[in-house]
Amino acid sequence: MLKKVAILANGGDVSGFNAVIRAIVKTAENHGVECYGIIDGYNGLLKKQFEKLSTAQDGEAIGILPKGGSIIGSSTNSNLFNYKIVNDNGEIEYKDMSDVAIQNIKDFGFDCIFTLGGDGTQKSARDFSTKGVNIIGVPKTIDNDVACTEITFGYNTAVSVAMEALDRLHTTGETHHRIMVLEVMGRYAGWIALESAIAGGADIALIPEIPYDIEKVATKIENRKKRGKNFSVVVVAEGAAPKGGSITVLGTRDNGKGVDNTKLGGVGQVVAKQLEELTGLEARNTTLGYMQRGGTPTAFDRVLSTKYGVKAMELALEEKFGVLTVIKNGKLDSVSLDDVVGKNKQIGAVSGNTEESNLRKITMDDDLVKTARNIGIALGD
Ligand code: F6P
């Protein structure tokens, strides 16, 4: 019988974290199950930082549906299976701390841990599950690149923010006859870029899945100029790269081994400069950055997050562990965490950035690609 559960939010934050937390807490309370929050992701599991969550008068989970961020924090540097520590000699070492975390789970009597996160978080979740911990994952990321689900929570809000930015860039671009470039996030997937380009009426979208030819992008802008349109709006995914070239990297982080430590960014500026030189039009870049992750979730994300939270708790009550809640054919479902992050490449449109990862990227037969091409959005190929 399920008595006590805990929620862990991990990785870069998204709008919708709190909506999932609220839905889990409410469903748990309706079934007489106690709910705790693990503070600051996997770090809190190691440091035994747990906080009771409730929707009772003055409870922590009250009034959080529209709130951005995460009331229980999140962490982007906490792979407990390869955890960075400074030893007594002041040297950096990487240690497997998973057994300490498992002991903490046992000591506090948690019957199930809900892991809200993207591919890195779910990989650790799968590894904990393999070691016998009852885990249920919920797919979070603005990048929408978690395998086996059609949509992650946080993504729709990010697209909406990018769409609004494009609307605003349109009017200033048109006024000053400029090329307006918008660099959006998304890591190695172009979901945010392509969907916001369609929603925001952009002329060009450069995505990681299609290496671009800058000359072709310039030709598209020149053709628009010939038709009297002396401004253009270009969306560039942070992971986009030129044909035969490589991704633009801002630097690397030192967030422990086993997580993606590449800090992407800068391609928008590069593209803007090249287009200015090639077309003779003035170009300006805007990097949207963390605007895509902060603030209140859209109605879509509030509903999706609530559905995911309720489903996660339902699965726990059924004692169905080692799974991720997903949307499959538009409906709530669950799949084994092994399929999501394992080496199982039989599951469709997946190929990760590392041999081990299963990222969901855009495939060329996706409706978004066809739609974009048919309305004349150039994809740089
Ligand atoms: O994965 C979410 C995301 O926002 C990516 O789109 C982006 O590349 C990355 O996180 C930024 O990470 P950080 O918060 O470490 O700067």
Side-chain angles (χ1 to χ4, degrees), residues 218-276:
T219 304
K220 162 82 182 177
I221 292 170
E222 267 153 6
N223 287 341
R224 277 174 55 78
K225 215 160 67 172
K226 281 183 200 147
R227 286 189 289 131
K229 298 180 176 183
N230 48 9
F231 78 99
S232 287
V233 176
V234 186
V235 186
V236 185
E238 63 179 359
K243 255 183 206 152
S246 46
I247 286 178
T248 313
V249 169
L250 275 184
T252 48
R253 307 172 299 195
D254 188 11
N255 283 348
K257 289 182 181 168
V259 291
D260 179 17
N261 278 322
T262 315
K263 183 94 198 65
L264 301 181
V267 65
Q269 192 56 49
V270 172
V271 165
K273 194 166 176 285
Q274 288 176 330
L275 290 178
E276 195 164 82

Side-chain angles (χ1 to χ4, degrees), residues 141-143 185-187 238 253 263 290 293:
T141 169
I142 63 165
D143 307 332
M185 285 183 166
R187 283 209 302 164
E238 63 179 359
R253 307 172 299 195
K263 183 94 198 65
Y290 299 88
R293 293 187 354 193

